[in-house]
Amino acid sequence: MAENLQEQLFEWFQWFHRRPEPSGAEHGTTARIKELLRETGIRVIDTGLETGLVARIDGSAEGPVVALRCDIDALPIQEDSGLPYASENAGYMHACGHDFHLTAMLGAALLLNKRRGEIKGTVKLVFQCAEENGGGAKQVLETGVLEDVREIYGLHVESSRAPGVISISAGPVNAAVGGFRALIKGKGGHASAPHECIDPVSAAGQLIVAAQTIVSRSTDPFDKVVLSITHVEAGNTWNVIPQEALLEGTIRTLGTEQFKTVAEQLGRICRGVDEIAGTVTEYNWLCGGPSVDNNAVLADFAAKTAESLGLTVMPAVPGMGGEDFALYQERIPGLFFTVGVGSPQAVHHPGFRADPAPLHTAAEFLAELGIRSLVRPV
Ligand SMILES: [Zn+2]
Ligand SMILES: [Zn+2]
């Protein structure tokens, strides 16, 4: 069974890997997933989603509803992996392993369908669009299709771990991601008469340097925080002090609470620089996505389930990237785990290469989580 399943999954994986589609435009991918589910007799729920879909597998008995989630979009990257089944869509690549995720979910769908007799309730399978630009999870949630879901499980590939290794940790495993904008308003004038001006450029300089003390001086050394100023703009010639200077940047923290602390501290620094320089700074920040924060009970349950299947379980590799699975977790207790795919390059790199060998492992683990979570004592 495992060998046949692996062969089937590898064939599907290659099909999807050759045809990456960007966030929100996963039309071919969606159509193919629907076709494969239909061939198996699995029902796709009418959600009105343009891309992506939600399927459901009802078991033999009434019971709760749980969800398994994968994502299906690719990235605007020119592939340089050397794979014989590399992207045929120039400029796009499955560089985040979402082709692996969706193929593993299709495998789980096959397995669950065969084991309907063991399903005590309903398993919903979420094939989510547009993870990379952050809009997909919101779209799925807005359809209301997950309103009856008791718990949700999601997977991601992990390039740095050996193929098939499952990584699970309770608590935050991905960053809360957002940005800030500081528009420093001064008073422009002749560069020969700085005393008659309020120079926003020197204020911006002070702000850039002082902002770096947030991570080094104001943050608990055990917290994970990134603060980068990535956009600086002021003036357009050599002999004029400009009116304004603009700074933009990103804040990333492991844990959503920490994000607010860092963003507010940067606001205090803006006010401090204004006090010294005489500038007036318009400061705004926005946390675009919360931190993936794993439910401790589900983490323990999932780790034990993986171990019972003979899988190697390790603690999660925390990352400072964002992941919109966090939006589901704001409403539904959830667990996000990774499957090692031993890639020579990390995700989002043109040379990323997921080892397809653990596709069936991921499928079996997902199916098992679906079946066992329905009878998990709560
Ligand atoms: Zn990604
Ligand atoms: Zn991803």
Side-chain angles (χ1 to χ4, degrees):
M1 171 65 195
E3 248 170 55
N4 290 345
L5 177 66
Q6 179 62 22
E7 248 171 59
Q8 178 67 86
L9 295 183
F10 184 45
E11 193 191 310
W12 290 343
F13 175 68
Q14 293 176 72
W15 193 97
F16 289 110
H17 192 83
R18 285 194 171 104
R19 296 165 179 83
E21 296 175 301
S23 306
E26 310 91 337
H27 298 284
T29 309
T30 302
R32 181 77 174 134
I33 297 169
K34 276 188 183 163
E35 183 183 46
L36 292 171
L37 291 172
R38 212 178 298 129
E39 280 170 14
T40 325
I42 294 171
R43 187 152 82 84
V44 175
I45 303 171
D46 186 11
T47 53
L49 287 168
E50 257 182 54
T51 56
L53 62 105
V54 183
R56 68 179 290 157
I57 301 179
D58 295 303
S60 57
E62 287 286 309
V65 183
V66 298
L68 305 174
R69 175 271 199 178
C70 70
D71 40 18
I72 66 170
D73 55 329
L75 286 157
I77 292 175
Q78 180 63 43
E79 180 158 357
D80 186 20
S81 66
L83 286 169
Y85 50 90
S87 170
E88 291 167 4
N89 187 6
Y92 293 96
M93 175 189 180
H94 266 298
C96 204
H98 299 186
D99 50 347
F100 184 102
H101 308 162
L102 76 89
T103 306
M105 276 283 275
L106 283 167
L110 287 187
L111 293 168
L112 286 165
N113 201 40
K114 279 201 181 119
R115 296 172 66 186
R116 272 184 199 260
E118 294 172 63
I119 300 175
K120 308 294 180 210
T122 296
V123 182
K124 287 187 175 171
L125 307 170
V126 182
F127 293 84
Q128 183 208 302
C129 69
E131 189 283 324
E132 293 292 353
N133 72 5
K138 194 163 167 275
Q139 281 183 43
V140 173
L141 284 163
E142 279 171 0
T143 67
V145 70
L146 300 184
E147 247 142 55
D148 56 356
V149 168
R150 185 177 79 179
E151 53 204 61
I152 184 164
Y153 298 85
L155 84 160
H156 207 285
V157 294
E158 174 53 59
S159 58
S160 70
R161 288 266 157 91
V165 169
I166 304 293
S167 305
I168 297 173
S169 288
V173 291
N174 273 81
V177 175
F180 60 86
R181 183 176 190 273
L183 180 64
I184 305 164
K185 294 180 172 175
K187 184 178 167 221
H190 203 291
S192 66
H195 60 293
E196 288 171 9
C197 303
I198 297 172
D199 183 6
V201 175
S202 69
Q206 290 183 66
L207 190 52
I208 291 167
V209 174
Q212 298 312 315
T213 64
I214 295 177
V215 177
S216 67
R217 302 290 82 193
S218 310
T219 299
D220 183 328
F222 291 97
D223 282 346
K224 308 273 190 298
V225 173
V226 171
L227 189 157
S228 297
I229 292 172
T230 52
H231 181 196
V232 181
E233 221 176 286
N236 54 14
T237 188
W238 69 281
N239 58 357
V240 175
I241 290 175
Q243 286 277 102
E244 295 177 345
L246 175 72
L247 301 181
E248 285 187 305
T250 185
I251 298 171
R252 284 149 191 265
T253 60
L254 209 57
T256 310
E257 263 309 295
Q258 289 87 333
F259 189 99
K260 193 165 172 260
T261 310
V262 170
E264 286 177 353
Q265 174 65 5
L266 185 58
R268 277 192 288 278
I269 290 177
C270 288
R271 292 196 292 278
V273 169
D274 281 346
E275 179 68 29
I276 297 165
T279 46
V280 176
T281 299
E282 269 174 24
Y283 171 68
N284 302 291
W285 59 271
L286 181 73
C287 181
S291 209
V292 170
D293 197 348
N294 282 333
N295 178 287
V297 175
L298 298 189
D300 184 57
F301 159 73
K304 284 187 175 134
T305 303
E307 277 161 6
S308 77
L309 296 174
L311 305 176
T312 305
V313 180
M314 293 176 77
V317 182
M320 299 309 276
E323 165 60 59
D324 71 359
F325 186 77
L327 296 180
Y328 300 110
Q329 291 177 315
E330 284 191 322
R331 304 224 201 145
I332 309 162
L335 176 86
F336 195 63
F337 65 90
T338 65
V339 181
V341 290
S343 169
Q345 303 290 349
V347 291
H348 290 214
H349 187 282
F352 171 74
R353 220 162 53 205
D355 186 337
L359 276 167
H360 73 97
T361 304
E364 280 158 15
F365 182 41
L366 280 167
E368 207 60 39
L369 282 174
I371 288 172
R372 291 199 206 173
S373 61
L374 287 168
V375 292
R376 187 178 67 78
V378 286

